[in-house]
Amino acid sequence: MKAIQISRNGGPEVLEYIERDDPVPAADEVLVRAAAIGVAKPDYLMRSGKYRWAPPLPSIIGNEMAGHVAAVGSAIADIAVGDPVLVWGYEQGCYVDVGAYRRHRIQKLPAGIAPEAAVSIPNYLVARALLHETAARPPRTVYVDGAAGGIGTAVIQLGTQAGMTVIGGASSAAKCAFAKKVGAADAIDYSRENVVDRLLDLTDGRGVDLFLDSMIGPTFPDNLKALATHGTIVSFNALKGLPETETFAAMRALAAKCLGVRCFSFHGYDHDPEGTQALLDAVLPLFADGRIVPPIHARLPLAEARQAHELLDARAIMGKLVLVP
């Protein structure tokens, strides 16, 4: 087995390329030979020591891998050798060329989904939940920051297919152009434009129904002004930290608009198998019949995971970065 391991937290330099004997699956495990491995923000959080669900060190990182079943444990009856599968979930261990995983981490894939596309499926599950399960009312207009990243592009594609008007926010003109290329109705370069002013301008003063915010930051309450009546802001990360001013006071100042602020983590589905399955049932057919084709930023060998994380840290990825064994 070839794998990427960390023995300490830090920058990309802590990623170690190791080799060891191939694992043997236990009775309740499935052995999967990787064809594609996804690189995502939780990988950075684990590597840097900011991930509250991280396993003890040393550990192999990675939350998503697609490949084919190489062997099954004696207690597994519903998966066979050769089946195409997605390995996903927040237990790590996917930066490998072959790995053994418990059954609940394995999703059998319909025919026709390429492994490099399959590793983006978790992004689209998050996006589906954000768009359809977090707002007070079904949104007509949506804003998402980080629009060139994996979650952002998933929100744009799923929202547009559902008939929503999706506006993306990104940190450069190139990323804004990319967001529009994947389907955003418009894009805001928040390195040089005021997001609230632009959203009000783009919506003729109405505001957006759903504001998907991964940044938060000191001036977060200002974003409430960009919401339409009954609008909701959903915080699905806090990359810029927490507000410096009191959020509830800002909400009460706009009380007549009946605004909502919600925190979201996909870990809310950790003990909700029915909810998770409903998301899968909605998303997998879109991949299987080609209605969703996730954009791929680049493909790098597994041994070059350090370079992949340098791109991740530099926020240089547009779409999905894939490691190939």
Side-chain angles (χ1 to χ4, degrees):
M1 179 181 78
K2 300 177 177 65
I4 301 296
Q5 176 180 276
I6 60 170
S7 300
R8 58 189 175 89
N9 296 121
E13 72 280 355
V14 305
L15 299 176
E16 311 167 65
Y17 184 67
I18 63 169
E19 295 191 41
R20 59 175 65 158
D21 293 340
D22 286 356
V24 176
D28 62 345
E29 290 183 330
V30 177
L31 188 71
V32 180
R33 191 161 300 279
I37 301 153
V39 177
K41 181 65 71 174
D43 304 342
Y44 152 78
L45 294 172
M46 182 186 177
R47 188 205 77 213
S48 60
K50 300 177 181 179
Y51 195 60
R52 70 179 71 176
W53 295 275
L57 298 177
S59 60
I60 296 170
I61 68 171
N63 287 310
E64 49 208 27
M65 178 259 274
H68 291 84
V69 174
V72 297
S74 59
I76 304 294
D78 60 340
I79 292 181
V81 171
D83 282 347
V85 293
L86 169 70
V87 182
W88 71 291
Y90 295 103
E91 295 178 32
Q92 308 294 323
C94 287
Y95 278 25
V96 297
D97 67 341
V98 61
Y101 306 96
R102 288 186 292 171
R103 175 64 184 89
H104 75 274
R105 292 199 64 195
I106 307 293
Q107 173 65 45
K108 291 176 65 173
L109 293 173
I113 303 180
E116 291 185 359
V119 293
S120 286
I121 288 172
N123 288 340
Y124 288 78
L125 301 179
V126 174
R128 170 80 188 184
L130 287 170
L131 288 168
H132 294 277
E133 300 189 7
T134 61
R137 296 181 177 183
R140 291 182 291 157
T141 54
V142 179
Y143 169 78
V144 61
D145 60 22
I151 299 295
T153 55
V155 166
I156 290 168
Q157 289 182 311
L158 288 182
T160 300
Q161 287 201 4
M164 303 172 190
T165 298
V166 184
I167 301 167
S171 60
S172 70
K175 289 183 178 181
C176 286
F178 178 83
K180 288 193 281 189
K181 183 178 179 180
V182 298
D186 217 317
I188 300 169
D189 181 353
Y190 45 64
S191 70
R192 61 182 185 84
E193 298 178 283
N194 182 285
V195 172
V196 172
D197 290 346
R198 287 284 289 129
L199 285 176
L200 292 173
D201 179 55
L202 290 169
T203 60
D204 296 323
R206 177 181 179 273
V208 296
D209 301 305
L210 182 61
F211 189 120
L212 300 177
D213 190 343
S214 67
M215 304 294 182
I216 305 301
T219 61
F220 165 74
D222 291 346
N223 293 337
L224 294 167
K225 300 171 186 175
L227 291 179
T229 300
H230 301 293
T232 303
I233 289 182
V234 178
S235 164
F236 63 104
N237 212 323
L239 299 177
K240 289 187 176 180
L242 298 179
E244 291 181 351
T245 55
E246 213 282 313
T247 299
F248 191 74
M251 294 175 66
R252 288 304 307 167
L254 298 168
K257 297 186 77 173
C258 304
L259 306 179
V261 175
R262 185 169 186 172
C263 292
F264 175 87
S265 168
F266 203 74
H267 284 285
Y269 291 88
D270 284 353
H271 305 290
D272 182 9
E274 293 83 7
T276 302
Q277 190 60 52
L279 295 174
L280 285 163
D281 290 344
V283 168
L284 286 178
L286 302 178
F287 278 75
D289 64 16
R291 280 178 285 168
I292 288 292
V293 179
I296 304 298
H297 177 85
R299 300 161 182 85
L300 293 174
L302 176 62
E304 296 179 16
R306 181 178 297 186
Q307 180 184 344
H309 276 241
E310 289 170 351
L311 293 170
L312 188 63
D313 286 7
R315 298 175 62 195
I317 299 172
M318 290 187 278
K320 191 70 171 180
L321 181 59
V322 176
L323 296 175
V324 181

